[in-house]
Amino acid sequence: MEGKVMREKILQLLRKEKDYVSGEEIGRILGISRSAIWKYVNGLREEGYNITSVPRLGYRLDDIPDLLLPEEVKDGLNTTLLGKNIVYFKEIDSTNNKCKNLGQMGSEEGTVVVAEAQKSGRGRIGRYWNSPSGMGIWMSVLLRPQISPMEAPKVTLLAAVAVTSAIRKCTGIDVGIKWPNDLMVEGKKVCGILTEMSAEMDSVNYIVLGIGLNVNIPLHQFPAEVQETATSLMEVKGGKISRKLLLQEIIRQLEKYYFRWQKEGIAPILKEWRRYSMVLNSPVSIIERDQRWEGIALDILESGALIVKLMDGTIREFSVGEVSLRPGNG
Ligand code: BTX
């Protein structure tokens, strides 16, 4: 049996038993020697699994690491499309870049790329995304919806609703959506969404949905220039949060809203978006290239565009593009 498979089998046995499993028994079930078992157990320990061994009793799994290892994330996930295939990296340049490559190579829809750390995490319009190791969820999902390119911003809308729901469900934190692609807590950015696509004139080849969520980052570890504007769930909650459970819930919610979109269209999801929105009926200031607009955000359209009533009373539509939005009068 191949090493990786054996490692997983041993892990399965320990996980199932919850108490000591003797080396003899493991050896009998898997047909390997005691010294081989010892080698695999040590490998697992190096990955962060806490395994106790006692002579004559055997091995017991006491603690699993808070790593986003595929077998951990798949355990109890219960989705039918998203996360069936999970591609994991300790470190990568950008999960969106990797996911794009996979999209080009024909990987299956629902593939999730996840990394403990990103060296060149990307935001919109060439901006960076700070992605320190083991403290956040840095992930990308490969989607292949049969839509026209114009509809792609809907993926950002549904993802914002899905991730908001997942965070609320897992942590109880009152997170809200800031158009077009941020999730905020207490006025600070906790999550960013970067949707990219490959498309022909009238059809989408694939969409890469990138999500960056600050989970357990202490405030002092953020780069100086975002210390005032960024936060993490841990800072708000006052304690560490399981990244694994949160990632699982995000995948579940994404699947739920993705399927709902395909079945019922975007309208019911927009209803929820409005409920979670932090910008509707509030003063906003929008910077579009070098122009600045002040007004009150009135509504969001199915296209993802924001409707704003400007100071002079005119109504203007802002589409998700090269814009940035700030709370108004600032
Ligand atoms: P954005 O362009 O709206 O935000 C980027 C801006 O946010 C940066 O210019 C910086 O000011 C600030 N910023 C950088 N890092 C953080 C952070 N960790 N928390 C809060 N603020 C920050 C938002 O872009 C979309 C980000 C998507 C990131 C995901 S991670 C997985 C996937 N792979 C990848 O390369 N990008 C996506």
Side-chain angles (χ1 to χ4, degrees), residues 165-180:
S165 307
I167 295 172
R168 286 180 174 227
K169 202 165 163 196
C170 284
T171 68
I173 292 174
D174 196 14
V175 54
I177 305 174
K178 186 184 137 203
W179 184 85

Side-chain angles (χ1 to χ4, degrees), residues 94-96 118 122-124 127-128 130 189 211 214 230:
S94 149
T95 55
N96 264 37
Q118 292 185 119
R122 294 189 288 109
R124 290 189 305 143
R127 293 191 287 233
Y128 74 98
N130 178 54
K189 186 145 135 179
I211 296 164
N214 305 328

Side-chain angles (χ1 to χ4, degrees), residues 93-97 118 120-125 127-132 137-140 181-182 189-194 209-214 217 222-223 225-226 229-231:
D93 56 347
S94 149
T95 55
N96 264 37
N97 291 355
Q118 292 185 119
S120 330
R122 294 189 288 109
R124 290 189 305 143
I125 25 178
R127 293 191 287 233
Y128 74 98
W129 189 257
N130 178 54
S131 321
I137 292 177
W138 326 123
M139 67 185 287
S140 302
N181 66 326
D182 293 334
K189 186 145 135 179
V190 76
C191 174
I193 299 169
L194 178 66
L209 167 63
I211 296 164
L213 175 57
N214 305 328
I217 310 182
F222 281 103
E225 67 274 17
V226 300
T229 55
T231 193

Side-chain angles (χ1 to χ4, degrees), residues 77-193:
L77 185 62
N78 290 331
T79 50
T80 56
L81 180 70
L82 268 65
K84 285 274 142 198
N85 180 26
I86 298 180
V87 185
Y88 171 85
F89 297 90
K90 272 229 134 93
E91 185 179 86
I92 197 164
D93 56 347
S94 149
T95 55
N96 264 37
N97 291 355
K98 181 69 198 178
C99 198
K100 266 194 221 169
N101 294 343
L102 293 176
Q104 243 137 34
M105 281 157 43
S107 284
E108 68 204 71
E109 180 172 50
T111 295
V112 172
V113 179
V114 62
E116 300 294 343
Q118 292 185 119
K119 281 183 293 184
S120 330
R122 294 189 288 109
R124 290 189 305 143
I125 25 178
R127 293 191 287 233
Y128 74 98
W129 189 257
N130 178 54
S131 321
S133 183
M135 298 180 192
I137 292 177
W138 326 123
M139 67 185 287
S140 302
V141 184
L142 181 64
L143 298 173
R144 299 184 181 278
Q146 290 180 359
I147 54 168
S148 80
M150 273 167 54
E151 285 194 278
K154 290 178 183 166
V155 174
T156 308
L157 296 179
L158 80 82
V161 173
V163 179
T164 299
S165 307
I167 295 172
R168 286 180 174 227
K169 202 165 163 196
C170 284
T171 68
I173 292 174
D174 196 14
V175 54
I177 305 174
K178 186 184 137 203
W179 184 85
N181 66 326
D182 293 334
L183 301 189
M184 313 285 286
V185 189
E186 296 174 351
K188 294 182 169 189
K189 186 145 135 179
V190 76
C191 174
I193 299 169

